[in-house]
């Protein structure tokens, strides 16, 4: 019995401290309502809960954004609704002015009334805003810049920056409502449709087919055309008398030819000189804007080069020549390999890619691939020459890893062709010869397991050396197996065999043969150099620091060796050459350029399905149709509203109502989209918060039970410490 160290009391104190810690943790959870109050409570749970909390906060803000967006859109819609009422009233007043029962004084009163209504329409556009952001035009002022089209509205309705709902721009004022339509570069003219262009400057009309290449387009021009730039081969027909005068002069000059009412541009070169129509008030002509083109590009293809027809051409001289089996070998991937030197003529709109194949003239040794070399197809096009060559089972066998090919037998690598964007990785095998296996051992002493050079077993290549002693190339990390048998003959004769560190051996120590003994067993079992792997397998450790030991084998002793081969050489990556893209030459694209100072009508008369007609300007002017906006009606002065103008402005107001309804339709669709997104986010918010609660919030029933348990244990611990302290009093009895 000891007094200085009261072990029982110390144990009781330790347990009491642990119980107190658990009580404190339980009280913290009960008082905070949280199962996780600090990272130590549940590190992974805290990380997940914090992410869920951030997600929930973000979703809630997205909901708030959505509700604000709905309010904004409703403000814009209600304002445009009042503008629509104004336009309804203006239309009625124009109808009233367009009747002989209304006097000139009455029309003047109507004009003043319309002027005030349009002023209020502009006031609504200027004043309608949300939090200072003007909604129906660019700004809150009355300047040209402020009255321009508004910016697009973008609302983030969700937790991600990509959760954006947009509403298109609006210009709901007298400058933006009416019959005028502006055209951006690339605006299309549908087949059979007419486009009115009124902008001054240079305008280009282009024709393309469904694939984007140049196409024949018949375009009728009607109006004040000042100048045309035509390309050789274009034709002009359906001309009026004034236009014919100018074209006949060009026929005399030799720039055009004329036959049966059709003029053909004959001027050689990229373009003809501008055709000057400045003296003609009204030009009418149908122009076929396809071009005959000049001579195409010629490309010499050397023997062995690959050609890819990138343009998707399915007919023509180039297509026919590439598909001539006597000149080109077609791969299943659509490439064509030249069997001899050929010249290809590439026309306008045709494009080819020419690639000189990377002929791998040498492998890992002496211009050949050696058996056991590994080729990994890092990037091989299915159906290409390389793909077909690697799948030649007479040369390669597929490894356990897809896209890995092992060389079966040595072969010259000159016909391994690596094409455009293709690459392979070559891993050199490991040369294994009989001399590398053992020193002073004849071939006849090696037990051969089968006669194959090598074979694939599962994921490991097993290398077997044939009795002929030929060199074999193993792949990296292959297992090389061989058997060494002690010599036969004179008693006491031994055979020395080198075992490398890492080699795994099994052995048979023949103690019954004449001259035999247990020398081999002692070298293996008693030296401490070998690690028993279980059963009869032993692996050599490098305890001597030499990397090997030499075993002495007596008569009839047998050692079976498994040696893992590690390649000392690195990998070699070989890639295909880059392709040279060659495009067909010819004249300019199918287009005409014209200049106008007033109004011009462009009609797309082409009927070929898929063909399109597009217009573009020189970039210095804005193209529009020359029609009126409501601003022209608002600008009428005293006495200027006539019966005729009242008639013509009715269509302007009708178009303004149509444009305004388009704006309102966009706003309404956007509002529906936002409301749907908000409803979805509300569901997500509930689910995310529920998921966070499961991780973060405390279960009071469970935790209160735990607290009561720890409290009882604490009381019991206090009693135990009391008893441990009183037990030391018994020592005094021994001293009495």
């Amino acid at each position: 019995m000891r007094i200085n160290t009261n072990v029982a009391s110390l144990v009781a104190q330790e347990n009491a401290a642990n119980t107190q810690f658990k009580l404190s943790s339980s009280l913290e959870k009960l008082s905070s309502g949280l199962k996780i109050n600090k990272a130590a409570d549940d590190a992974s749970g805290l990380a997940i809960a914090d992410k869920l909390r951030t997600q929930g906060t973000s979703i809630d803000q997205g909901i708030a954004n959505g509700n604000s967006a709905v309010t904004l859109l409703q403000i814009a819609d209600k304002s445009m609704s009042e503008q629509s009422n104004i336009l309804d009233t203006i239309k009625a007043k124009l109808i009233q002015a367009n009747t002989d029962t209304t006097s000139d004084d009455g029309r003047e009163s109507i004009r003043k009334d319309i002027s005030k209504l349009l002023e209020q329409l502009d006031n609504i556009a200027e004043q309608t805003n949300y939090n200072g952001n003007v909604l129906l035009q660019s700004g809150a002022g009355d300047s040209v810049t402020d009255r321009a089209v508004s910016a697009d509205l973008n609302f983030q309705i969700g937790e991600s920056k990509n959760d954006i709902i947009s509403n298109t721009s609006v210009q709901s004022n007298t400058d933006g409502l009416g019959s005028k339509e502006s055209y951006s570069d690339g605006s299309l003219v549908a087949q059979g449709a007419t486009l009115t262009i009124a902008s001054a400057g240079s305008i280009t009309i282009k024709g393309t087919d469904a694939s984007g290449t140049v196409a024949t387009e018949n375009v009728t021009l009607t109006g004040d055309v000042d100048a045309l730039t035509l390309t050789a081969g274009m034709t002009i027909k359906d001309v009026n008398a004034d236009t014919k005068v100018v074209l006949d002069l060009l026929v005399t000059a030799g720039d055009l030819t004329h036959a049966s009412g059709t003029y053909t541009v004959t001027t050689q070169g990229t373009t003809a000189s501008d055709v000057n129509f400045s003296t003609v008030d009204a030009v009418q002509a149908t122009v076929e804007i396809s071009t005959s083109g000049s001579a195409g590009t010629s490309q010499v293809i050397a023997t062995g080069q690959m050609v890819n027809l990138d343009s998707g051409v399915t007919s023509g001289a180039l297509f026919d020549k590439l598909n001539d089996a006597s000149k080109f070998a077609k791969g299943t991937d659509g490439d064509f390999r030249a069997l001899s030197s050929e010249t290809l003529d590439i026309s306008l709109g045709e494009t080819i890619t020419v690639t000189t194949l990377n002929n791998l003239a040498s492998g890992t040794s002496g211009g050949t691939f050696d058996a056991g070399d590994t080729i990994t197809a890092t990037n091989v096009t299915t159906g290409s020459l390389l793909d077909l060559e690697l799948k030649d089972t007479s040369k390669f066998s597929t490894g356990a890893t897809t896209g890995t090919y092992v060389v079966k037998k040595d072969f010259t690598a000159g016909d391994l062709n690596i094409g455009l964007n293709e690459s392979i990785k070559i891993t050199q095998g490991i040369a294994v010869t009989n001399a590398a296996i053992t020193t002073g051992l004849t071939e006849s002493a090696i037990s051969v397991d089968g006669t194959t050079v090598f074979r694939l077993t599962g994921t490991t290549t097993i290398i077997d050396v044939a009795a002929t002693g030929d060199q074999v190339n193993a792949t990296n990390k292959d297992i090389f197996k061989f058997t060494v048998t002690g010599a036969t003959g004179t008693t006491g004769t031994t055979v020395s065999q080198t075992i490398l560190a890492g080699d795994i051996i099994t052995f048979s120590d023949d103690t019954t043969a004449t001259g035999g003994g247990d020398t081999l067993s002692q070298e293996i079992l008693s030296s401490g150099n070998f690690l028993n792997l279980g059963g009869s397998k032993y692996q050599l450790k490098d305890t001597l620091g030499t990397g090997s030991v030499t075993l002495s084998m007596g008569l009839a002793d047998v050692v079976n060796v498994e040696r893992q081969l590690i390649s000392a050489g690195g990998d070699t990556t070989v890639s295909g050459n880059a392709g040279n893209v060659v495009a067909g030459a010819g004249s300019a694209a199918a287009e005409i350029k014209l200049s106008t100072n007033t109004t011009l009508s462009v009609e797309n008369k082409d009927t070929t399905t898929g063909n399109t007609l597009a217009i573009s300007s020189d970039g210095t002017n804005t193209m529009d149709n020359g029609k009126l906006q409501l601003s022209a009606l608002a600008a009428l002065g005293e006495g200027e509203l006539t019966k005729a103008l009242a008639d013509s402005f009715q269509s302007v107001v009708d178009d303004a109502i149509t444009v305004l309804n388009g704006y309102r339709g966009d706003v309404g669709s956007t509002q529906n989209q936002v409301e749907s997104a908000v409803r979805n986010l509300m569901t997500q918010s509930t689910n995310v918060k529920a998921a966070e609660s499961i991780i973060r919030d405390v279960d009071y029933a469970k935790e209160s039970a735990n607290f009561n348990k720890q409290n009882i244990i604490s009381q019991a611990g206090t009693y135990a410490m009391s008893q441990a302290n009183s037990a030391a009093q018994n020592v005094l009895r021994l001293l009495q």
Side-chain angles (χ1 to χ4, degrees):
M1 301 180 68
R2 297 181 295 274
I3 296 177
N4 284 344
T5 303
N6 192 339
V7 176
S9 178
L10 292 177
V11 171
Q13 291 177 52
E14 178 185 357
N15 290 328
N18 291 335
T19 302
Q20 192 62 36
F21 174 78
K22 294 177 182 179
L23 268 174
S24 176
S25 176
S26 183
L27 277 172
E28 183 181 27
K29 293 175 182 178
L30 290 172
S31 62
S32 67
L34 299 177
K35 182 165 52 177
I36 303 174
N37 291 280
K38 54 185 178 296
D41 292 337
D42 184 353
S44 61
L46 177 66
I48 297 171
D50 280 354
K51 284 187 176 181
L52 288 172
R53 180 177 60 190
T54 301
Q55 183 180 1
T57 303
S58 301
I59 290 175
D60 288 345
Q61 185 58 56
I63 293 172
N65 288 357
N67 291 329
S68 298
V70 169
T71 305
L72 180 150
L73 294 169
Q74 287 176 339
I75 291 172
D77 180 52
K78 291 300 183 181
S79 294
M80 287 189 288
S81 175
E82 182 57 32
Q83 287 182 321
S84 181
N85 293 335
I86 290 173
L87 293 178
D88 289 342
T89 304
I90 291 174
K91 175 66 182 296
K93 291 185 177 298
L94 287 174
I95 294 174
Q96 183 183 8
N98 188 31
T99 179
D100 287 335
T101 60
T102 302
S103 64
D104 290 341
D105 289 340
R107 289 189 183 91
E108 176 58 20
S109 297
I110 291 172
R111 183 196 68 80
K112 291 179 180 179
D113 199 3
I114 290 175
S115 177
K116 286 294 185 180
L117 289 170
L118 291 176
E119 182 180 347
Q120 180 56 27
L121 185 141
D122 282 340
N123 287 340
I124 292 173
E126 178 182 339
Q127 296 166 3
T128 302
N129 71 89
Y130 179 90
N131 196 25
N133 295 323
V134 179
L135 305 179
L136 303 185
Q137 61 180 34
S138 179
D142 196 38
S143 65
V144 174
T145 302
D146 290 330
R147 292 170 61 84
V149 65
S150 70
D152 292 347
L153 296 173
N154 297 299
F155 312 109
Q156 181 172 341
I157 316 296
E159 60 174 308
S160 169
K161 65 179 181 179
N162 298 319
D163 297 332
I164 300 296
I165 295 177
S166 301
N167 190 78
T168 55
S169 55
V170 175
Q171 191 180 10
S172 184
N173 53 35
T174 54
D175 289 347
L177 299 176
S179 301
K180 185 172 74 172
E181 183 178 354
S182 297
Y183 309 116
S184 60
D185 282 357
S187 295
L188 299 181
V189 186
Q191 292 175 347
T194 299
L195 185 74
T196 302
I197 305 173
S199 302
S202 175
I203 296 171
T204 301
I205 303 174
K206 302 179 179 180
T208 61
D209 63 15
S211 65
T213 57
V214 294
T216 299
E217 288 284 348
N218 295 320
V219 181
T220 295
L221 306 176
T222 305
D224 185 16
V225 180
D226 294 326
L228 278 178
T229 300
L230 302 174
T231 303
M234 286 185 175
T235 60
I236 306 173
K237 57 185 177 180
D238 302 330
V239 299
N240 60 3
D242 292 337
T243 306
K244 186 176 187 303
V245 171
V246 176
L247 298 181
D248 285 342
L249 291 175
L250 293 174
V251 172
T252 303
D255 292 330
L256 304 179
T257 60
H258 178 255
S260 303
T262 298
Y263 296 85
T264 303
V265 183
T266 59
T267 302
Q268 298 302 311
T270 303
T271 58
S273 300
D274 286 349
V275 182
N276 188 356
F277 285 112
S278 60
T279 59
V280 180
D281 292 331
V283 171
Q284 180 171 337
T286 299
V287 183
E288 184 177 277
I289 65 172
S290 65
T291 60
S292 61
S294 59
T297 300
S298 294
Q299 177 71 27
V300 177
I301 308 298
T303 302
Q305 284 188 319
M306 298 295 292
V307 177
N308 184 279
L309 189 56
D310 298 321
S311 62
V313 177
T314 57
S315 62
L318 176 61
F319 178 83
D320 293 339
K321 191 164 188 176
L322 288 173
N323 282 276
D324 185 344
S326 66
K327 296 179 172 63
F328 290 90
K330 183 179 180 181
T332 58
D333 60 339
D335 281 335
F336 301 86
R337 181 165 61 94
L339 302 177
S340 58
S341 179
E342 299 290 342
T343 300
L344 296 180
D345 294 324
I346 309 161
S347 301
L348 179 65
E350 295 179 330
T351 304
I352 63 172
T353 301
V354 182
T355 308
T356 300
L357 290 174
N358 190 342
N359 295 317
L360 200 59
S362 62
T364 56
S365 176
T368 63
F369 282 114
D370 299 316
D373 286 355
T374 301
I375 297 176
T376 304
T378 56
N379 189 13
V380 176
T381 302
T382 301
S384 67
L385 290 176
L386 177 61
D387 184 44
L388 298 177
E389 289 160 355
L390 290 175
K391 291 177 180 177
D392 184 350
T393 56
S394 67
K395 299 176 181 176
F396 300 97
S397 60
T398 305
T401 303
T402 303
T404 300
Y405 303 87
V406 182
V407 179
K408 281 186 174 182
K409 56 185 179 181
D410 298 352
F411 74 97
T412 302
D415 58 350
L416 196 59
N417 299 293
I418 305 175
L420 177 66
N421 299 324
E422 294 185 319
S423 60
I424 61 174
K425 182 176 70 175
I426 305 169
T427 303
Q428 183 177 347
I430 307 167
V432 179
T433 62
N434 293 343
I437 297 171
T438 185
T439 303
L441 190 64
T442 61
E443 289 178 3
S444 60
I446 300 175
S447 175
V448 178
D449 179 18
T451 57
T452 56
V453 175
F454 72 91
R455 67 177 183 268
L456 294 172
T457 304
T459 59
T460 305
T461 302
I462 305 300
I463 306 298
D464 299 305
V465 177
T468 58
D470 291 339
Q471 174 176 309
V472 174
N473 271 47
T475 58
N476 192 32
K477 295 185 179 180
D478 281 344
I479 303 299
F480 184 72
K481 292 183 177 181
F482 61 95
T483 299
V484 182
T485 303
T488 59
T490 308
T491 301
T493 301
T494 61
V495 171
S496 296
Q497 173 59 42
T498 300
I499 304 299
L500 303 180
D503 283 356
I504 297 173
I505 67 170
T506 58
F507 68 95
S508 173
D509 189 354
D510 192 339
T511 59
T512 61
T514 303
D518 58 0
T519 304
L520 180 62
S521 298
Q522 292 177 358
E523 284 191 65
I524 295 174
L525 302 179
S526 303
S527 63
N529 295 329
F530 288 87
L531 174 67
N532 181 240
L533 300 180
S536 59
K537 286 192 173 184
Y538 297 85
Q539 185 173 37
L540 177 64
K541 301 182 292 184
D542 190 16
T543 54
L544 301 178
T546 59
S548 64
V549 298
T550 300
L551 298 179
S552 297
M553 301 171 59
L555 294 177
D557 288 345
V558 177
V559 176
N560 301 301
V561 183
E562 294 183 16
R563 178 172 297 167
Q564 186 179 60
L565 304 176
I566 304 298
S567 175
D571 298 328
T572 302
T573 300
V574 184
S575 301
N577 297 318
N580 177 34
V581 179
V582 183
S587 59
E591 64 183 36
I592 58 175
K593 294 182 180 180
L594 56 91
S595 297
T596 181
N597 287 317
T598 56
T599 301
L600 173 71
S601 294
V602 177
E603 181 184 3
N604 182 2
K605 299 189 71 173
D606 186 71
T607 58
T608 304
T609 302
N611 284 11
T612 60
L613 182 67
I615 60 171
S616 60
S617 71
D618 60 1
T620 61
N621 61 299
T622 302
M623 294 179 291
D624 61 66
N625 60 2
K627 294 185 179 181
L628 299 175
Q629 299 294 78
L630 291 178
S631 56
L633 179 58
L636 292 179
E638 184 176 352
E640 290 184 352
L641 181 59
T642 63
K643 181 175 179 291
L645 284 178
D647 177 83
S648 62
F649 270 113
Q650 289 181 49
S651 62
V652 176
V653 175
D654 287 339
D655 289 340
I657 293 172
T658 299
V659 174
L660 184 62
N661 288 337
Y663 289 149
R664 293 189 67 188
D666 289 342
V667 168
S669 298
T670 303
Q671 181 176 336
N672 289 334
Q673 184 181 4
V674 170
E675 290 175 346
S676 175
V678 167
R679 289 192 296 270
N680 180 61
L681 287 177
M682 291 174 65
T683 302
Q684 289 187 34
S685 177
T686 301
N687 292 335
V688 168
K689 289 175 180 177
E692 181 192 3
S693 174
I694 291 173
I695 298 173
R696 194 188 296 274
D697 293 347
V698 70
D699 183 339
Y700 271 88
K702 178 179 179 181
E703 193 58 42
S704 60
N706 180 54
F707 174 77
N708 289 330
K709 180 185 75 173
Q710 298 300 331
N711 196 21
I712 293 171
I713 294 174
S714 176
Q715 296 177 41
T718 302
Y719 173 77
M721 280 191 290
S722 173
Q723 291 300 314
N725 291 334
S726 63
Q729 297 290 331
N730 295 329
V731 177
L732 295 177
R733 297 177 182 176
L734 298 176
L735 300 176
Q736 290 176 354

